[in-house]
Amino acid sequence: MTTISFTYLPGDGIGPEVGAAALHVLDAIAERFQHALDVDEHLIGGAAIDAGLKPLPAETLGSCRRSGAILLGAVGGPKWDHLKGADRPELGALLPLRKELNLYANIRPAKPHPALIDKAPLKAEYLEGVDFVVMRELTGGIYFGKKGVDNLGAYDECRYSEAEVRRIAIKAFDLAKGRKQKVTSVDKSNVLETSRLWRRVVEEVAADYPDVELDHLLVDAMTMHMLTRGQDFDVVLTENMFGDILTDEASVLCGSMGVIPSASLSDGTTGLYEPIHGSAPDIAGQGKANPLAMILSAAWMVRLSFGLEKEAAAIETAVDAALYGGHVTADLGGSLSTSEVGDWIARHVKAPHVS
Ligand code: IPM
Ligand code: MG
């Protein structure tokens, strides 16, 4: 028996709804596999601001540090748009959480589910066979450089140390070893000094992985290649800002944002797991939100932070069955509410042969 002990941060907008569905599925996992759940729920983002706290309250950060496993819904929304800088839910909560927990490796998959291919805005031929992950550096670069406003204008400094590039490159090559053995490193080395350092260090790391093929692409070219020959990629390795942009683009290859989980990892088993979609305030509180990305994020958490492979696979199998059987929310053409999808998947987890 394992105690699945984690910090639960529902956050804003649809976060609490998709979060409740994921907790229900985790309850089912605990029941079927005889584990215990220990859920430490805390406020973050706009919900914390509304309670008179900072976007990342000290108790929230303390719980995240203690548990080392965090399941996060979403943060932010128009209600807090008037706030500036670190008072904003995203900047004041997500960025410091990434930095404080040293969550430097962000993984987002691009693998269209067969049941969703005809829902994507692109022709099926560009989606079929696509199966890559983006390994985005998450705690360095322009996001965390010195920034300011002076009498000349404003500036954001972009810095990378060799050590920062090396550790994310190692994560990418390790991942590629268990996949299709290919790393595509994306930079802007025809212009940026940080990108020239990036390329040199990635090549040094590649020398330790003779079986893994490495190629380099400039980020502007990559925006086209990703959509026109997505099948050629396996692990796409890139820096923080380019990764932010490319992962949104990659989600278009998946048919729907509502089904994509993500992990932000440190060394060891520390990780934060969240759907890649946002807080969707326009549909919050209506039971319309698709909980699949959050449920899959919970699966990634049990696999990567707790080493529970069978349990993660049970959740993924149930999500597959829901997608193939149309037991989904209206955005995917179904007629179930958020909690009904959670109930369906929880039932499937407990009794996989019944649907
Ligand atoms: C993401 C988001 C964040 C980022 C924002 C909300 C700060 O876009 O996780 O991709 O830019 O990293
Ligand atoms: Mg983004």
Side-chain angles (χ1 to χ4, degrees):
M1 189 192 100
T2 301
T3 299
I4 304 172
S5 180
F6 66 100
T7 303
Y8 169 52
L9 307 176
D12 304 322
I14 60 171
E17 291 163 77
V18 296
L23 289 187
H24 191 176
V25 171
L26 286 172
D27 273 329
I29 285 291
E31 189 182 317
R32 169 160 164 216
F33 295 92
Q34 309 277 294
H35 297 307
L37 275 194
D38 172 14
V39 185
D40 194 20
E41 178 172 342
H42 284 274
L43 295 171
I44 192 166
I49 295 171
D50 287 354
L53 303 167
K54 292 195 162 43
L56 180 62
E59 311 87 81
T60 303
L61 181 59
S63 168
C64 295
R65 277 194 212 285
R66 273 194 307 280
S67 67
I70 304 139
L71 186 63
L72 171 76
V75 294
K79 187 173 173 198
W80 304 281
D81 266 353
H82 62 284
L83 299 169
K84 294 207 169 52
D87 290 335
R88 296 178 62 84
E90 307 91 334
L91 284 184
L94 273 186
L95 265 52
L97 189 55
R98 291 171 181 172
K99 195 71 172 178
E100 291 290 328
L101 272 84
N102 198 25
L103 303 170
Y104 63 87
N106 178 240
I107 303 178
R108 300 181 184 184
K111 184 179 181 185
H113 194 279
L116 298 181
I117 286 191
D118 54 1
K119 300 206 163 36
L122 298 172
K123 288 190 192 137
E125 65 191 273
Y126 294 114
L127 275 69
E128 277 155 3
V130 168
D131 179 5
F132 65 85
V133 296
V134 179
M135 178 69 77
R136 167 187 174 194
E137 200 290 327
L138 202 61
T139 52
I142 197 167
Y143 273 57
F144 291 95
K146 191 164 177 245
K147 42 187 96 242
V149 179
D150 59 19
N151 52 9
L152 295 174
Y155 58 92
D156 297 275
E157 189 180 58
C158 184
R159 267 187 177 276
Y160 268 108
S161 70
E162 278 199 33
E164 283 173 318
V165 181
R166 181 163 287 112
R167 66 181 183 173
I168 188 75
I170 289 172
K171 286 261 191 207
F173 279 90
D174 282 345
L175 186 61
K177 257 194 342 193
R179 294 177 45 100
K180 292 181 278 177
Q181 316 241 16
K182 183 168 175 191
V183 170
T184 302
S185 176
V186 178
D187 62 35
K188 187 71 187 173
S189 60
N190 53 348
V191 177
L192 301 178
E193 209 54 67
T194 43
S195 281
R196 281 191 277 276
L197 172 85
W198 183 276
R199 205 174 265 224
R200 173 170 66 72
V201 175
V202 168
E203 273 171 6
E204 282 171 24
V205 171
D208 292 334
Y209 297 82
D211 296 334
V212 179
E213 183 192 338
L214 167 68
D215 56 15
H216 302 277
L217 276 176
L218 296 175
V219 62
D220 48 351
M222 181 57 170
T223 60
M224 297 186 297
H225 292 291
M226 189 180 271
L227 297 186
T228 53
R229 56 177 190 95
Q231 292 88 348
D232 290 350
F233 303 112
D234 178 21
V235 176
V236 174
L237 164 63
T238 193
E239 60 114 275
N240 203 346
M241 173 83 145
F242 299 156
D244 179 44
I245 298 163
L246 291 176
T247 51
D248 266 21
E249 190 187 7
S251 74
V252 179
L253 288 167
C254 293
S256 161
M257 262 203 159
V259 297
I260 313 175
S262 77
S264 301
L265 306 173
S266 185
D267 296 318
T269 57
T270 299
L272 177 147
Y273 306 87
E274 60 177 320
I276 73 151
H277 61 65
S279 61
D282 50 321
I283 58 160
Q286 300 171 33
K288 289 184 183 166
N290 178 354
L292 294 181
M294 184 68 168
I295 291 169
L296 290 170
S297 299
W300 279 27
M301 178 179 79
V302 300
R303 172 181 290 124
L304 298 172
S305 281
F306 298 93
L308 299 172
E309 176 55 42
K310 279 198 311 291
E311 292 77 349
I315 298 175
E316 288 163 352
T317 304
V319 169
D320 259 355
L323 281 166
Y324 281 123
H327 307 284
V328 289
T329 42
D331 55 304
L332 299 181
S335 59
L336 300 190
S337 68
T338 309
S339 63
E340 285 167 345
V341 173
D343 291 348
W344 194 92
I345 291 175
R347 273 202 308 279
H348 193 284
V349 159
K350 282 191 259 184
H353 303 299
V354 184
S355 58

